Amino acid sequence: EDTKMFKINDNYLKLPGSYLFSTIAKKVAAYKEANPKKKDQIISLGIGDVTLPLAPAVIARLHSAVDEMAVKETFKGYAPDLGYEFLRSAIAQHDYKARGVDIAIDEIFISDGAKSDSGNIGDIFSVDNRIAVCDPVYPVYVDTNVMAGRAGDYNPATERFSNVIYMPCTEENGFAPELPEETPDIIYLCFPNNPTGATIPKTELQKWVDYALEKGAVIIYDAAYEAYISEDNVAHTIYECDGADRCAIELRSFSKNAGFTGTRLGFTVIPKALKCGDVTLNSLWARRHGTKFNGAPYIIQQAGAAVYTPEGQAQTQEQIAYYMNNAKIIREGLAAAGFSASGGVNAPYIWLKTPDKMTSWEFFDYLLDKANVVGTPGSGFGPSGEGYFRLTSFGSYENTLEAVERIKKLK
Ligand code: MLT
């Protein structure tokens, strides 16, 4: 007999299956176990994880910061609540002022990455908010709202949650969400987009800002892939749009622009002009940050600051160019093989249509078995991702070429 008195957060029980990338890792591990001879041939273009080592300028700064920690006079304990000023100043200068945007350093909150921030940001919002998400979407936005009890119930038939507004992004609309018919309170946007690799011009982003201001909604803008933008008409930060400081929170990451996936560093911007009545969201996030988080490590914040030096900029831009060359190889290779594929111009992701009406998971199994290439099934990102598949350009050049050759031979 179960005598437990405590209660769990049973919103967790509404989540169908495990986290997308955990499911994929388990499937690949099972395949390797069942096919030991193929184990070493498998090329992963699945999870968006970088493969190039950290830039020399970053490594040098890590070393010097470690040495500081060894000396009484320069040792650091807890970091300041919002993060070190040297890093927040560099961000304000390089990511915002250089783009004509004024963000004060107390509007920047350093964290251990955009994944945590995108999941945690819900803490400062009532459970009584209706969220809108692109479909397909980075699963963290939906899953964390499910955990908070904001998503309603899951309908396995539609693969949708009852209280979430889904904004389909498909070939028909150029993978760009349309303003929803029902009015959301919180709108999640990610540009350049994960998973589709699509972007929208700044003029279109302005329409979202205008819409949010008109409806009294807040936009949670994930700009983790900003460094991959190659076209001039795409905004690098939502604050390039007029009025965004009154309706948008921006999430940024060092993972994709400087290879910090394993090193962990990111930040969130909440302008003080963003208010609900008299209350600034900045003050709520500061309260949350101070209470639940003890800062990214000093050495990592130093490493992050090194990204903004001239050497750091040159070296990380070289890494981005390397990945974007992979993106080109994948995009052109897929096109040559007769696939319909998009993305990879302003983003490190290529989004392809599965051949022969295969489902996303069927194509996953097929590609894994026949080409020993791992990708990400589009349906894992939402029902409108069914029939699509994502490949990342974060592999090595050699593996990318090899993967594309193998895919070409399938056709
Ligand atoms: C992805 O593959 O979508 C990324 O790894 C997501 C992330 O950065 O957490």
Side-chain angles (χ1 to χ4, degrees):
E1 192 193 340
D2 193 341
T3 56
K4 298 282 191 305
M5 292 289 288
F6 65 83
K7 299 174 183 67
I8 57 163
N9 175 355
D10 52 15
N11 291 316
Y12 278 64
L13 306 180
K14 297 178 179 175
L15 291 163
S18 52
Y19 182 57
L20 175 62
F21 294 102
S22 314
T23 307
I24 291 171
K26 277 184 220 142
K27 271 190 160 258
V28 174
Y31 182 84
K32 284 183 179 170
E33 183 146 339
N35 302 276
K37 285 205 200 93
K38 294 182 175 174
K39 195 165 141 262
D40 298 326
Q41 297 171 37
I42 292 176
I43 297 176
S44 177
L45 302 181
I47 190 164
D49 196 3
V50 294
T51 52
L52 288 174
L54 293 170
V58 171
I59 290 293
R61 187 73 72 91
L62 274 171
H63 281 293
S64 65
V66 166
D67 287 342
E68 285 181 62
M69 295 300 263
V71 177
K72 193 167 190 305
E73 286 70 29
T74 50
F75 168 78
K76 302 282 187 302
Y78 292 125
D81 270 7
L82 271 58
Y84 283 98
E85 207 172 307
F86 62 77
L87 179 56
R88 289 184 291 134
S89 305
I91 290 168
Q93 179 60 40
H94 294 272
D95 287 322
Y96 296 101
K97 198 149 197 73
R99 299 205 177 274
V101 173
D102 277 322
I103 293 292
I105 62 166
D106 58 356
E107 296 174 319
I108 299 168
F109 300 78
I110 307 299
S111 73
D112 63 350
K115 181 180 183 184
S116 338
D117 282 355
S118 65
N120 290 329
I121 196 73
D123 272 21
I124 63 169
F125 295 103
S126 159
V127 72
D128 296 327
N129 283 296
R130 189 113 196 259
I131 67 157
V133 294
C134 292
D135 171 24
V137 73
Y138 179 44
V140 173
Y141 312 153
V142 175
D143 289 6
T144 54
N145 276 287
V146 175
M147 292 169 178
R150 213 175 278 122
D153 292 311
Y154 185 68
N155 179 342
T158 59
E159 294 172 44
R160 289 173 170 218
F161 283 90
S162 57
N163 198 39
V164 173
I165 299 169
Y166 292 84
M167 305 182 290
C169 298
T170 58
E171 202 178 18
E172 287 71 45
N173 56 19
F175 305 103
E178 287 150 38
L179 296 174
E181 278 164 25
E182 296 172 274
T183 306
D185 304 299
I186 301 173
I187 304 163
Y188 287 81
L189 293 177
C190 171
F191 291 114
N193 188 257
N194 178 15
T196 66
T199 46
I200 58 173
K202 183 169 145 183
T203 46
E204 289 300 307
L205 186 59
Q206 181 67 54
K207 290 182 189 164
W208 283 92
V209 170
D210 295 343
Y211 173 81
L213 288 171
E214 180 200 323
K215 303 290 184 192
V218 61
I219 296 174
I220 297 176
Y221 192 73
D222 185 345
Y225 300 95
E226 163 277 331
Y228 292 84
I229 294 171
S230 69
E231 293 179 324
D232 290 339
N233 63 348
V234 180
H236 285 254
T237 155
I238 194 167
Y239 304 117
E240 286 178 44
C241 296
D242 294 333
D245 60 337
R246 287 180 285 122
C247 68
I249 292 174
E250 183 162 284
L251 312 174
R252 297 281 282 256
S253 168
F254 284 79
S255 288
K256 321 289 169 165
N257 65 343
F260 279 48
T261 53
T263 316
R264 307 309 311 149
L265 192 65
F267 61 93
T268 286
V269 176
I270 311 189
K272 280 172 278 183
L274 175 47
K275 291 182 182 170
C276 182
D278 294 337
V279 182
T280 66
L281 298 193
N282 181 292
S283 68
L284 299 185
W285 189 242
R287 189 68 175 83
R288 194 234 171 243
H289 220 59
T291 305
K292 289 201 189 183
F293 186 60
N294 241 336
Y298 172 72
I299 58 173
I300 306 299
Q301 295 195 43
Q302 279 289 1
V307 171
Y308 294 102
T309 61
E311 308 77 57
Q313 285 292 293
Q315 293 161 3
T316 52
Q317 267 154 30
E318 225 172 272
Q319 297 179 337
I320 289 161
Y322 175 94
Y323 293 133
M324 288 311 273
N325 183 49
N326 288 348
K328 186 164 179 270
I329 291 167
I330 299 172
R331 217 178 48 241
E332 291 176 355
L334 289 174
F339 284 90
S340 160
S342 58
V345 175
N346 295 296
Y349 296 124
I350 285 89
W351 190 240
L352 61 110
K353 261 177 117 162
T354 60
D356 307 327
K357 298 209 160 47
M358 273 190 222
T359 67
S360 299
W361 279 109
E362 280 166 359
F363 188 66
F364 174 89
D365 289 332
Y366 173 78
L367 204 62
L368 178 58
D369 193 40
K370 298 289 184 291
N372 297 149
V373 172
V374 180
T376 309
S379 58
F381 298 101
S384 298
E386 183 56 278
Y388 290 93
F389 200 78
R390 193 192 76 175
L391 292 173
T392 96
S393 61
F394 287 126
S396 70
Y397 169 72
E398 293 76 16
N399 278 348
T400 302
L401 272 185
E402 169 69 19
V404 168
E405 284 315 306
R406 291 187 201 165
I407 293 172
K408 278 183 180 166
K409 285 199 195 110
L410 292 175
K411 277 285 196 164

